[in-house]
Every structure is written in structure tokens, then in C-alpha cells.
Amino acid sequence: MKDFTVLAGRLLLALIFILSGWGKIKGYAGSQQYMESMGVSGALLPLVIFAELGGGLAIAFGLLTRLAAVGLGVFCLLAAAIFHTDFSNQMQVIQFMKNLAIAGGFLVLSVHGPGAFSIDAWRQRRT
């Protein structure tokens, strides 16, 4: 049961990043414009897409899980600090707290690992 729970947790954590990365590809110009309006160079958008989509897929499949979890955890903290600091806006406070909570989930995943249903575990069993 534990391994199914870890798999479910990984998939739930990954889903928001996979959808967000894909959404940025589909709405590239708008995403770039939003980043620039927040003082972040739009030239960084490919890196953001790679982090979200690539990191999300890595977490979902359990590939390089600890590294991906640390990377996405840091990504969440940076996104909170850059994009969600208007604390007079209740929605921004919620987004800020959501990013902190997700970062916390990634910290736990980075310590405990991906569980048995993962590429990482499969690779370890083979060696």
C-alpha cells in the first residue's frame, strides 16, 4: 500500500507541472509577456518549460526523482518569491502558500525517494 501511495503522491505533484509546462508551450507568447511584466526575461521561458514539463515528467515516472524533486522545490520557492508577493491580494497569498506547500512535498519526496513503482527503483534493482 505504501508504494501505491507514493506513486499517487508523485503523480499528483507532477500533474500541475506537466499541465503548466504544456500550457506555456501552447500559449508561448502570452506566457512570455506575463514573465516580462513581472520583471523576468522572456528569454528564460524555454528553461521554465523544461523545468515544469521535464521535471513533472521525471517526477511522474520516478526518473532522477530526488534531483527533480529538489529542482522543482527550488522552482516553487522562486516562483512564489517572484510572482506571488502581492500580499494585499488574497489570491496571491493563496498562490504563495500553495507554492510553499508544494515545495514541502518535494522536500519530503527528495528525502524518502520515489518508491518501488518508479524507473529509479527499477534501475536500482537491475544493478
Side-chain angles (χ1 to χ4, degrees):
M1 186 64 167
K2 172 186 165 194
D3 290 314
F4 284 108
T5 304
V6 174
L7 174 61
R10 279 196 350 254
L11 293 174
L12 291 171
L13 280 168
L15 182 61
I16 192 171
F17 293 94
I18 294 168
L19 294 177
S20 183
W22 185 250
K24 285 178 177 63
I25 291 170
K26 289 174 37 178
Y28 196 92
S31 297
Q32 196 171 39
Q33 184 179 18
Y34 177 69
M35 287 175 64
E36 290 173 353
S37 76
M38 299 300 289
V40 177
S41 172
L44 294 175
L45 184 54
L47 183 60
V48 170
I49 292 169
F50 175 76
E52 288 184 343
L53 189 56
L57 289 169
I59 295 295
F61 288 103
L63 175 64
L64 303 173
T65 307
R66 294 176 194 267
L67 179 63
V70 169
L72 284 175
V74 169
F75 180 87
C76 286
L77 295 175
L78 288 172
I82 294 169
F83 296 103
H84 304 301
T85 55
D86 180 3
F87 297 121
S88 66
N89 179 333
Q90 183 63 30
M91 287 307 298
Q92 289 298 311
V93 172
I94 291 169
Q95 293 294 320
F96 183 87
M97 298 304 291
K98 172 206 53 115
N99 280 29
L100 294 184
I102 294 170
F106 281 129
L107 286 176
V108 171
L109 185 59
S110 73
V111 170
H112 290 283
F117 303 126
S118 64
I119 293 173
D120 289 342
W122 175 78
R123 290 173 60 197
Q124 188 161 1
R125 285 191 299 269
R126 288 192 49 161
T127 59

